[in-house]
Amino acid sequence: MPRPSAPIYLDHNAGAPLRPAVRECMIEALGDTGNASSVHAHGRKARARIEEAREKVARLCGARSRAVTFVSGGTEANMTALSPSWQDQGAPVYLDKLFRSAIEHPSVVTGGRFAVADQIVVPVDREGRIELNALEEAVKDADPSLVSVMAANNETGIVQPLAEVGKMARTYGHFFHVDAVQAAGRMPIDMEAWQADVITLSAHKFGGPQGIGAVVVKSTARVPSPLMVGGGQENWRRGGTENVAAIVGFGVAADLALEEADQTRHLSELKARLENGLKTVCPATVIFGEKADRLPNTSCFAVPGIAAETALIAFDLEGISVSSGSACSSGKVSVSHVLTAMGIEEDLARCALRVGMGWNTTEADIERFLEAWPRIVDRLNPDARHQAA
């Protein structure tokens, strides 16, 4: 009897496998004792580890190390950034509204610390890009507010026109937040070009540990009010004892991601092979955002008549892990708010699958996916093979 093939993981957008170098450094850090707030030798060693990691994360963002505040992950980072209360040059500033795109991550869709009545949703076009004219119309006469637009969408990989959004926010006197959780390690992060006041990150999207993220500000003179208060950790910007091992792992992952920033061509080639193969099997395959600028690792597609829920189970039985949209909905497969905002019909949106590649994805992984897909199609809806594009 043939030996089963090793499982294949193609869900990096939900969370990437831990890099071996990250695991090693974390195990070493876990072997040490010491609270980074203590002044004795053990505490100083823990503090040194944190500050070294802070410098590495700052380099990934082109920021100063003191601009980086470690938090528990992307959701807490977004909750921290989405605050109506800021300090600007030492003076308190209250931001009137939150302007966000219609395709933001669920942690931004909730509005953070803004009241529901103070949130304005800006539409996107059919390719999933924010409507700049609609954004300008919304913000041009508004009191100082916060504009929040993600760098790249977690479901479709579509990259937003951040430089244009940042320029608009600056022109009309608003603060600008970029959720860069999916961008880190997959595209350059340039706070200066984006004119972003604050960006947010999560380590586990690019090979770091789960449970650690960062809020990175352009200037420590302009910062959101703390979400977690208590002790004076993280320069009084986030109370609570630091998770030293996770922070160390975050730093190593950031270093590796920066080193590989110019190696995304490999992922782009794998994505092209995947999408060409999908259309060969089913010419009617729809690639969402196909004409837009997208992350090199992400493909979100659908075949009419093949429901995502049953396709996910079929792939799982083949030993292949993919997903349908965001992984932040308690494992439920439902209609994506992202695709709905793009104007995708509900029947087609219910068929959407996402492949997220990453640092350990190989050509053999994509070939095995494409070998399994025709078998799955033939089981679920053989007529899909003959549908016209």
Side-chain angles (χ1 to χ4, degrees), residues 297-337:
N297 79 310
T298 306
S299 180
C300 185
F301 69 94
V303 174
I306 297 182
E309 189 168 7
T310 51
L312 286 175
I313 295 170
F315 271 117
D316 196 45
L317 292 172
E318 294 274 356
I320 301 172
S321 295
V322 296
S323 69
S324 177
S326 173
C328 301
S329 301
S330 301
K332 297 178 181 178
V333 178
S334 57
V335 177
S336 161
H337 76 281

Side-chain angles (χ1 to χ4, degrees), residues 25-33 49 245:
C25 76
M26 290 182 67
I27 290 172
E28 181 182 343
L30 285 167
D32 289 338
T33 299
R49 287 185 184 276

Side-chain angles (χ1 to χ4, degrees), residues 212-272:
I212 190 68
V215 177
V216 185
V217 294
K218 182 178 181 181
S219 169
T220 53
R222 176 180 275 195
V223 296
S225 62
L227 175 66
M228 300 281 287
V229 296
Q233 294 90 352
E234 295 300 292
N235 295 311
W236 297 95
R237 296 201 290 266
R238 201 272 189 181
T241 302
E242 293 97 339
N243 186 343
V244 179
I247 289 172
V248 168
F250 192 176
V252 173
D255 249 4
L256 292 171
L258 190 59
E259 289 174 10
E260 298 167 3
D262 59 350
Q263 299 176 18
T264 57
R265 180 179 176 182
H266 168 66
L267 291 175
S268 295
E269 291 172 348
L270 291 181
K271 183 174 73 173

Side-chain angles (χ1 to χ4, degrees), residues 92-132:
V93 175
Y94 184 81
L95 303 181
D96 188 55
K97 302 288 184 186
L98 170 65
F99 297 94
R100 64 163 180 87
S101 82
I103 48 88
E104 296 300 311
H105 184 269
S107 62
V108 173
V109 169
T110 62
R113 290 180 276 174
F114 281 87
V116 174
D118 294 331
Q119 300 172 33
I120 308 297
V121 180
V122 182
V124 297
D125 62 21
R126 185 81 178 182
E127 294 297 318
R129 296 167 296 204
I130 190 168
E131 294 274 12
L132 292 174

